[in-house]
């Protein structure tokens, strides 16, 4: 069988399913994907090589994935026949671009999947039934234009809402951005804030340091003696080029300790020690570590005296009552409870001696890096956990030094981005947290400044028109999604929903108008990295869309024409022209970076920023008089007066342990005794690529349960189990494994919701069980905090 005659979506003879799965296993075993003995190449590879009629194009995806790994698309006769990746010897060690991971290797099967949406469609059944009829693009864009006019005229522009859509957030140009541009040019819309991924820690970290970005570039850690990864799982999430540096550090002798309730692949590949704890008890472990460090005089006293506020009673701000300092809290001066390792053991289930040794190792190893992942901050105590890690880094003097890490948010301030398309101001000044959208759709009067409303005292209207572009949040990633489904089914609430996607996702079934989007292979973009990555990759249009698929920008441009603003909206640019414009504007904004012109970029394909090693807060520590921290005191604030003045029990001025709602100390645990957590797996980014059959075979959806908990419930390996609480039920097979600790169960995040006739989920979608409770400080998501019971189905 020749490749040329293979129908789209079939396996290429160059890459069978068996070989794909074998490659997947190899990628897990070798997280940073280099071959010993090959020298790094400093030269730029040719863009595309002609091999007969085949082009090999260096590109990247622009899905919600931060690696921007090196994809080599083999294009022949207008078809991508296979995907390879960069050669082993084409690595720039100063800013390594990752070889294609298991997701990257599977993109061709995803793009050519026969179940992709093909035509614009209008709903004909009830919302959620998934019944649609095909219509023309002219009908679709006319309907959108007419609804924009009529709903805006009736309720005002604040009735229009753009929902979270992250599946294109890896690129500088997206339908979401251009839809916002269109809405701003026609009166505005109700905007949202807060990142579901890391918004809680980004909101909490500035109360210690004044700003959120608190991470170094990873090349500053190569000589670090100890790294503590706290709820950080880069081997499975494949987080940019992180694994390259971590593996290099491992070879250099760095010791890795991993704190996580689950024995993840990161534990397997990196850890010298695994310390499991009960979810939501992180602050108790941190408190006990600080108790040991301070009572054994292992803290960096000179650093603390020079740079911090609130360590002890002598360093407290004026006017605060006594016994509010860190030392007073840890020694029980106010509440009579010393925060000893024995105290923490009862809460965390981590042995007291393990806590002592962890504290001593961290304090005595110079330098050391405590790097926190984003999983712990997705609990309703996540803001406290984020700040707790900054206090540990501070009292050990690991802030602002090479080889250390300031903890907290961990984003790197030296990253470079494209400027993006020009965005007119939004005339609607009110903003809601993304966690408020259901309230705003149900009864806008429920959304107050105390609940997260910004820029206004009240909302002018309920949400009446909703765009969900490149997003599966509505009824899949949304916490308590059954509540969301009930709201969406009520057509007296939101009157018109436009969804654009590649597949008939669970969220797409709730659209009134469903549009077939293009994949990254079918449009132009520029890929941008996450984490501490610092490079840009051209994502070229490789193939023409099949059937009647259009990019969001194409149909938005047609809507703009029917609203009479096409000229102003598009500025006469097609998609490629916008990418060229954005690149040239970025060149002007970064004159010192020597970015090539766009014509050259089409040959070089990528630009690596040759940044110097970056250490967060280095200037603040080196010269505090001329570089004070951007906090009210100009110092690192162990005690935050701003938080103290909020008088909120869940937002302590000192970040310390407070029992979490639906945590192990909640009375609800009598009814639902198991804490459930989720993790981001290697085979998909959130729910993107769930429909890829190759990647479903890479990792099947199961519930991890400890043998002790399984035995109590009569559950054996492979049994169908019923996971339930008051919010919902999900049935999946059981994975009985000691890789999850007793009292905790775990399931991979992002599986599609598949309710049966009784409403029971059969897809393993954890969000039928998760809570829509918002966090106290950031007004963010806490969907990792959920109590459940498990029984044999």
């Amino acid at each position: 069988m020749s490749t040329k005659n293979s129908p789209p979506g079939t396996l290429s003879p160059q890459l069978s399913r068996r070989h794909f799965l074998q490659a997947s296993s190899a990628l897990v075993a070798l997280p940073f994907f280099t071959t010993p003995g090959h020298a790094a190449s400093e030269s730029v590879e040719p863009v595309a090589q002609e091999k007969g009629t085949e082009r090999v194009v260096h590109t990247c995806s622009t899905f919600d994935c931060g690696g921007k790994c090196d994809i080599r698309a083999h294009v022949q006769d207008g078809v991508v026949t296979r995907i390879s990746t960069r050669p082993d010897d084409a690595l720039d060690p100063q800013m390594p671009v990752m070889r294609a991971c298991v997701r990257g290797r599977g993109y061709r099967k995803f793009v050519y999947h026969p179940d992709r949406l093909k035509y614009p469609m209008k709903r004909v059944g009830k919302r959620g039934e998934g019944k649609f009829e095909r219509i023309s693009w002219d009908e679709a864009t006319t309907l959108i234009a007419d609804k924009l006019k009529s709903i805006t005229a009736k309720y005002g522009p604040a009735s229009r809402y753009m929902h979270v859509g992250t599946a294109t957030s890896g690129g500088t140009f997206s339908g979401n951005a251009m839809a916002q541009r269109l809405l701003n040019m026609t009166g505005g819309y109700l905007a949202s804030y807060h990142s579901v991924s890391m918004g809680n820690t980004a909101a909490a970290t500035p109360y210690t340091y004044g700003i959120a970005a608190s991470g170094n570039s990873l090349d500053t850690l190569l000589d670090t003696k100890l790294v503590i990864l706290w709820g950080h799982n880069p081997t499975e999430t494949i987080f940019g080029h992180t694994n390259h540096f971590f593996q290099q550090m491992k070879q250099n002798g760095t010791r890795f300790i991993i704190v996580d309730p689950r024995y993840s692949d990161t534990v397997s590949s990196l850890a010298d020690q695994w310390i499991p704890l009960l979810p939501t008890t992180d602050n108790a472990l941190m408190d006990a570590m600080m108790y040991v460090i301070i009572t054994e005089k292992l803290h960096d006293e000179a650093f603390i005296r020079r740079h911090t506020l609130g360590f002890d009673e002598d360093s407290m701000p004026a006017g605060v009552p006594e016994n509010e300092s860190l030392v007073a809290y840890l020694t029980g001066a106010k509440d009579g409870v010393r925060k000893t390792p024995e105290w923490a053991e009862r809460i965390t289930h981590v042995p007291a001696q393990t806590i002592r040794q962890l504290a001593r190792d961290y304090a005595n190893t110079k330098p050391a890096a405590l790097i926190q992942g984003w999983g712990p901050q997705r609990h309703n105590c996540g803001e406290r956990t984020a700040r707790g890690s900054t206090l540990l880094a501070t009292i050990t003097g690991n802030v602002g030094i090479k080889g250390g890490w300031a903890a907290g948010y961990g984003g790197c301030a030296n990253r470079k981005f494209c400027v993006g398309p020009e965005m007119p101001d939004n005339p609607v000044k009110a903003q809601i947290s993304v966690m408020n959208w259901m309230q705003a759709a149900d009864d806008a009067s429920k959304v107050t400044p105390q609940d997260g409303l910004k820029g206004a005292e009240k909302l002018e209207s309920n949400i009446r028109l909703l765009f969900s572009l490149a997003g599966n949040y509505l009824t899949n990633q949304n916490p308590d999604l059954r509540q969301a489904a009930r709201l969406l089914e009520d057509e007296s609430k939101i009157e018109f929903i436009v969804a654009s996607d590649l597949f008939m996702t669970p969220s797409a079934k709730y659209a009134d108008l469903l549009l077939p989007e293009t994949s990254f292979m079918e449009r132009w973009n520029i890929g941008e990295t996450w984490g501490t990555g610092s490079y840009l990759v051209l994502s070229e249009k490789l193939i023409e869309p099949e059937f009647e698929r259009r990019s969001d920008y194409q149909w938005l441009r047609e809507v703009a024409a029917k609203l009479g603003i096409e000229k102003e909206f598009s500025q006469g640019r097609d998609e490629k022209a916008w990418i060229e414009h954005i690149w040239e504007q970025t060149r002007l904004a970064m004159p010192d970076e020597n970015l090539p012109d766009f014509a050259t970029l089409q040959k070089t394909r990528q630009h690596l920023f040759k940044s110097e090693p970056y250490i967060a807060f280095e200037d603040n520590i080196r010269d505090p008089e001329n570089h004070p921290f951007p906090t009210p005191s100009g110092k690192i604030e162990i005690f935050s007066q701003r938080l103290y003045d909020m008088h909120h029990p869940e937002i302590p001025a000192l970040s310390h342990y407070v029992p979490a709602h639906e945590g192990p100390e909640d009375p609800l645990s009598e009814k639902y005794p198991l804490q459930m957590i989720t993790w981001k797996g290697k085979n998909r980014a959130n729910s993107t690529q769930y429909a890829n059959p190759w990647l479903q075979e890479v990792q099947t959806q199961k519930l991890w349960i400890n043998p002790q908990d399984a035995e109590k419930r009569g559950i054996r390996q492979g049994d169908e189990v019923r996971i339930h609480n008051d919010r919902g039920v999900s049935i999946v097979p059981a994975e009985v494994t000691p890789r999850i600790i007793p009292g905790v169960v775990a399931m991979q995040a992002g599986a599609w919701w598949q309710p049966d006739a009784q409403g029971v989920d059969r897809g393993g979608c954890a969000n039928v069980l998760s809570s829509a409770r918002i966090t106290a400080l950031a007004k963010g998501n806490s969907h990792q905090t959920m109590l459940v019971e498990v029984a044999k189905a």
Side-chain angles (χ1 to χ4, degrees):
M1 180 179 70
S2 71
T3 304
K4 185 183 293 186
N5 294 328
S6 301
T10 60
L11 294 173
S12 161
Q14 292 100 323
L15 183 63
S16 69
R17 182 174 64 185
R18 180 177 55 130
H19 287 115
F20 176 81
L21 295 172
Q22 288 173 347
S24 305
S25 300
L27 296 182
V28 173
L30 298 171
F32 77 109
F33 320 136
T34 62
T35 300
H38 284 275
S41 171
E42 295 296 332
S43 62
V44 177
E45 278 200 89
V47 176
Q49 308 164 39
E50 293 294 339
K51 297 181 180 179
T53 60
E54 181 183 68
R55 271 198 327 144
V56 182
V57 185
H58 177 189
T59 185
C60 72
S61 89
T62 51
F63 290 134
D64 183 27
C65 178
K68 294 299 152 278
C69 60
D70 187 308
I71 294 172
R72 306 293 165 102
H74 296 244
V75 186
Q76 184 173 342
D77 299 329
V79 175
V80 176
T81 58
R82 69 185 183 98
I83 289 173
S84 61
T85 188
R86 68 163 173 78
D88 286 329
D89 60 356
L91 175 71
D92 187 323
Q94 188 172 353
M95 181 49 63
V97 178
M98 192 176 75
R99 285 166 59 82
C101 67
V102 63
R103 296 193 292 265
R105 303 278 185 148
Y107 280 141
R108 193 181 72 83
K109 185 66 173 177
F110 190 61
V111 170
Y112 286 115
H113 197 297
D115 290 344
R116 274 189 61 185
L117 299 175
K118 299 174 177 64
Y119 309 102
M121 297 184 291
K122 183 173 67 174
R123 175 174 63 87
V124 292
K126 295 180 180 179
R127 278 212 192 125
E129 285 186 318
K131 294 181 180 179
F132 295 86
E133 66 177 10
R134 179 180 171 183
I135 60 174
S136 69
W137 271 110
D138 181 62
E139 290 175 285
T141 54
T142 299
L143 182 59
I144 295 170
D146 288 347
K147 289 291 186 180
L148 279 169
K149 292 175 185 175
S150 62
I151 290 176
T152 305
K154 186 174 181 180
Y155 301 107
S159 65
R160 312 188 303 188
Y161 182 66
M162 279 288 305
H163 212 301
V164 173
T166 61
T168 56
S169 62
T172 188
F173 185 75
S174 70
N176 276 284
M178 297 310 282
Q180 291 168 21
R181 176 180 170 85
L182 177 70
L183 292 173
N184 285 347
M185 295 176 72
T186 56
Y189 68 104
L190 178 62
S192 63
Y193 65 90
H194 186 78
S195 165
V196 176
S197 293
M198 48 68 183
N200 292 328
T201 189
T205 303
Y207 288 93
T208 302
Y209 298 126
I211 60 172
S214 56
N216 304 345
S217 59
L218 291 175
D219 54 4
T220 65
L221 299 182
L222 291 176
D223 297 320
T224 298
K225 303 303 181 186
L226 173 66
V227 169
I228 300 172
L229 299 181
W230 201 298
H232 193 21
N233 183 24
T235 299
E236 290 182 85
T237 56
I238 318 175
F239 205 88
H241 61 299
T242 302
N243 286 310
H244 168 84
F245 285 104
F246 282 178
Q247 289 289 341
Q248 211 171 352
M249 291 157 60
K250 186 75 175 171
Q251 293 175 10
N252 292 345
T254 299
R255 182 170 178 243
F256 281 84
I257 299 173
I258 299 182
V259 180
D260 198 311
R262 191 177 71 93
Y263 192 95
S264 67
D265 286 359
T266 301
V267 179
S268 177
S269 64
L270 286 176
D272 295 279
Q273 184 179 8
W274 174 44
I275 299 178
L277 80 170
L278 287 178
T280 75
T281 68
D282 305 72
N283 278 103
L285 177 55
M286 293 174 177
D287 290 348
M289 287 175 66
M290 287 189 281
Y291 177 88
V292 171
I293 290 168
I294 291 170
T295 58
E296 295 186 5
K297 301 188 184 306
L298 303 177
H299 55 290
D300 191 330
E301 187 168 356
F303 181 96
I304 292 168
R305 293 296 173 201
R306 187 180 188 196
H307 298 293
T308 74
L309 176 80
F311 175 74
D312 56 20
E313 296 301 296
D314 294 334
S315 62
M316 291 292 288
V320 177
E322 64 180 11
N323 295 329
E324 294 289 347
S325 68
L326 178 63
V327 171
Y329 164 73
L330 294 174
T331 57
K334 184 174 182 179
D335 62 5
V337 178
R338 300 176 76 84
K339 310 310 181 294
T340 65
E342 287 74 19
W343 165 82
E345 179 177 354
R346 293 190 296 272
I347 299 168
T348 65
H349 291 190
V350 179
Q353 188 52 41
T354 300
I355 298 173
R356 282 195 175 84
Q357 193 59 53
L358 177 62
R360 292 165 181 163
D361 287 349
Y362 181 51
N364 286 324
T365 307
K366 303 292 184 182
L370 192 164
I371 304 175
Q372 192 176 80
W374 293 350
Q377 62 89 53
R378 295 188 187 115
H379 289 278
N380 60 47
C381 57
E383 298 145 344
R384 299 191 293 275
T385 303
R387 278 203 76 228
S389 66
T390 68
L391 304 194
L392 272 168
T394 296
I395 68 170
T396 55
N398 278 301
V399 178
I401 62 169
K402 184 179 180 181
W405 196 267
Y409 164 55
C412 191
N414 75 331
R415 291 174 61 202
K416 306 294 194 306
F417 300 93
C418 288
V419 297
E422 291 88 351
M423 190 62 64
D425 290 339
N426 184 353
V428 176
K429 301 308 176 186
Q431 287 188 322
I432 60 172
S433 165
V434 69
M435 294 299 295
N436 296 139
W437 80 271
M438 288 192 291
Q439 293 172 302
D442 183 43
D443 182 353
S445 67
K446 296 178 181 178
V447 185
T448 67
Q450 291 72 37
D451 299 316
L453 177 62
K454 293 182 179 180
E457 289 301 312
K458 63 178 183 178
L459 290 177
E460 297 175 5
S461 169
N462 287 10
I463 294 171
R464 297 291 182 175
L465 183 151
L466 184 149
F467 283 95
S468 176
L469 311 184
N472 190 18
Y473 195 93
L474 288 177
T475 53
N476 206 81
Q477 302 305 97
N478 196 85
D480 197 352
L481 65 82
R482 293 177 72 244
Q483 178 189 358
R486 288 191 292 269
L487 172 66
L488 294 171
E489 288 164 4
D490 185 349
E491 296 180 37
S492 70
K493 301 294 184 181
I494 303 176
E495 296 182 10
F496 188 59
I497 300 172
V498 180
S500 171
D501 214 313
L502 303 182
F503 292 87
M504 181 69 78
T505 66
S507 297
K509 291 179 180 179
Y510 285 81
D512 297 304
L513 182 64
L514 181 56
L515 307 176
E517 169 67 299
T518 53
S519 75
F520 75 93
M521 291 185 183
E522 299 155 330
R523 57 178 179 246
W524 285 87
N525 216 324
I526 298 170
E528 298 181 315
T529 59
W530 290 350
T532 62
S534 195
Y535 53 89
L536 301 168
V537 183
L538 181 65
S539 183
E540 176 183 325
K541 181 179 179 180
L542 301 171
I543 55 177
E544 288 298 324
E546 296 183 309
F547 303 99
E548 293 185 15
R549 296 168 185 143
R550 289 188 184 181
S551 71
D552 288 334
Y553 174 61
Q554 288 175 301
W555 61 259
L556 283 165
R557 193 173 180 181
E558 192 169 312
V559 171
K562 291 176 179 179
L563 294 174
I565 59 167
E566 196 281 331
K567 183 177 179 181
E568 301 94 309
F569 173 72
S570 73
Q571 296 186 359
R573 299 187 185 104
D574 63 12
E575 198 170 68
K576 182 181 178 182
W578 268 107
I579 298 305
E580 181 172 2
H581 171 73
I582 288 168
W583 182 258
E584 295 301 331
Q585 292 300 113
T586 303
R587 289 183 68 213
L588 293 175
M590 300 183 190
D592 298 331
E593 293 294 343
N594 298 315
L595 271 68
D597 61 25
F598 188 71
T600 304
L601 178 67
Q602 291 181 78
K603 299 176 182 178
T604 61
R605 312 303 295 177
Q606 65 183 20
H607 181 81
L608 309 182
F609 294 102
K610 302 292 185 178
S611 304
E612 292 297 316
Y614 176 81
I615 300 169
F617 310 122
E618 183 177 32
D619 289 341
N620 308 90
I621 298 303
R622 177 185 51 81
D623 185 6
E625 285 73 27
N626 292 312
H627 298 279
F629 280 85
T631 58
S633 66
K635 294 178 178 289
I636 299 173
E637 297 195 346
I638 295 173
F639 174 94
S640 170
Q641 179 89 49
R642 290 174 291 172
L643 296 182
Y644 181 81
D645 290 342
M646 293 181 188
H647 303 292
H648 195 301
E650 294 181 41
I651 315 173
L654 293 167
S655 194
H656 61 70
Y657 177 67
V658 178
H661 303 283
E662 293 201 43
E665 296 186 55
D666 192 318
L668 188 63
S669 63
E670 293 294 319
K671 182 178 181 182
Y672 298 116
L674 297 171
Q675 287 187 278
M676 182 170 168
I677 59 171
T678 62
W679 78 89
K680 300 295 181 73
K682 54 184 170 286
N683 61 332
R684 57 180 178 261
N686 295 318
S687 72
T688 302
Q689 291 227 61
Y690 177 81
N692 191 329
W694 285 356
L695 297 185
Q696 288 179 358
E697 293 185 44
V698 168
Q699 189 163 302
T700 57
Q701 195 71 4
K702 297 179 180 180
L703 180 78
W704 285 24
I705 184 169
N706 186 272
Q708 294 180 29
D709 294 321
E711 184 178 8
K712 291 177 185 176
R713 293 161 175 81
I715 295 169
R716 296 184 178 182
Q717 175 70 16
D719 283 349
E720 292 280 304
V721 293
R722 184 178 187 270
I723 320 159
H724 62 280
N725 60 20
D726 291 341
R727 289 181 289 270
V729 180
S730 183
I731 294 179
V732 293
E735 178 73 20
V736 181
T737 174
R739 292 180 64 178
I740 191 73
I741 61 172
V744 184
V745 293
M747 188 159 60
Q748 186 186 349
W752 284 7
W753 179 38
Q754 299 175 37
D756 62 17
Q758 287 72 45
V760 174
D761 170 53
R762 298 281 176 167
C765 182
N767 285 20
V768 301
L769 302 155
S770 60
S771 168
R773 177 185 290 274
I774 63 174
T775 60
L777 179 63
K779 312 304 179 188
N781 52 304
S782 61
H783 60 271
Q784 282 278 21
T785 311
M786 49 187 150
L787 289 172
V788 302
E789 180 56 290
V790 176
K792 190 172 179 178

